[in-house]
Amino acid sequence: METVAVIDYGMGNLHSVVRALEHEAAGDQRVLLTDDPETLREADRLVFPGQGAAGDAMQALSSRGLDRLLPELAADRPFLGLCLGQQILMDASEESGGVDLLGILPGRVARFPAMQGPDGRRLKIPHMGWNRVLPAQEHPLWHGLPETPWFYFVHSYRVQPEREADVAGRTDYGETFASALARGSLFTMQCHPEKSAACGLRLLHNFLRWDGDGPGAS
């Protein structure tokens, strides 16, 4: 039996993510919501979701000892970061007055600036609702999805990766920002697949069957 561990650090709609994964899991996969270090070490796949502020998230991870454990675990098995779970993998964030993050992927997290849409109106922050993701590279997690799939977003901050090679998908909202990142066995998205209907479920389906082989693995 393969274990898919959803990392429980008390931030966000964790149970919705668990239900979506259970919907797409194969018969030989079980989905666990856990913060137990040994269970996480033994898991075959890891999912790191989240909602909320970066500072609160880092405190929650630190209180469980997960801030030291996750960099180790993200390197050697399929690992999916979602929404805040994408941002926390970067080096640092402007949020919460400025906070150091896990440093698994090089780059920063910055708030959207004031921007205007095509009609000249000021765009609302947070960026909330449905938007397209344009894949920036071939990747197994895009398999079976439309050319520019729709996903559901809720966020005021976006990642700014240092490495162009890490960008797996882009989205337009006043500017073009990196909405998906990939390196080796790590894949992250700013959106909420569990709220993204058929496209979101397909992406989770692909993750659950992915062997972890991806760009930049060496």
Side-chain angles (χ1 to χ4, degrees):
M1 180 70 70
E2 182 180 276
T3 298
V4 182
V6 178
I7 299 164
D8 182 4
Y9 61 113
M11 300 287 293
N13 56 336
L14 302 176
H15 293 285
S16 295
V17 174
V18 169
R19 287 194 296 271
L21 287 164
E22 288 175 338
H23 186 274
E24 296 301 316
D28 61 347
Q29 291 177 315
R30 61 172 182 165
V31 180
L32 296 178
L33 177 62
T34 182
D35 65 355
D36 178 66
E38 285 309 309
T39 302
L40 293 173
R41 285 191 180 96
E42 295 172 1
D44 301 284
R45 302 172 188 274
L46 295 170
V47 180
F48 184 38
Q51 287 178 296
D56 293 339
M58 289 303 298
Q59 288 182 2
L61 290 169
S62 177
S63 70
R64 294 164 168 83
L66 298 178
D67 57 328
R68 299 183 299 275
L69 180 61
L70 290 188
E72 168 194 336
L73 300 183
D76 63 359
R77 70 201 73 189
F79 188 106
L80 180 64
L82 302 174
C83 195
L84 183 63
Q86 177 189 69
Q87 296 180 11
I88 295 299
L89 302 183
M90 309 304 287
D91 290 322
S93 176
E94 293 180 353
E95 195 173 15
S96 305
V99 58
D100 289 334
L101 303 176
L102 296 181
I104 296 172
L105 290 171
R108 299 183 60 81
V109 181
R111 184 177 172 85
F112 279 115
M115 298 178 294
Q116 290 184 336
D119 60 1
R121 296 181 182 179
R122 184 169 179 170
L123 292 175
K124 294 181 179 180
I125 306 298
H127 169 215
M128 181 165 54
W130 293 88
N131 207 336
R132 293 183 183 273
V133 174
L134 177 63
Q137 56 179 260
E138 291 187 6
H139 196 283
L141 266 66
W142 299 136
H143 180 71
L145 285 165
E147 185 174 343
T148 54
W150 290 88
F151 289 95
Y152 189 82
F153 291 82
V154 183
H155 62 123
S156 299
Y157 292 77
R158 78 286 197 220
V159 298
Q160 297 178 322
E162 287 184 6
R163 287 172 29 116
E164 182 66 22
D166 290 342
V167 179
R170 297 184 177 89
T171 296
D172 290 325
Y173 190 70
E175 63 177 30
T176 300
F177 68 93
S179 54
L181 304 177
R183 182 190 290 188
S185 60
L186 177 68
F187 189 94
T188 78
M189 290 194 78
Q190 178 61 63
C191 69
H192 290 274
E194 77 282 3
K195 298 180 180 179
S196 298
C199 287
L201 290 176
R202 179 67 197 201
L203 185 127
L204 295 178
H205 175 97
N206 291 342
F207 171 73
L208 290 168
R209 289 150 183 84
W210 178 38
D211 64 6
D213 185 19
S218 60

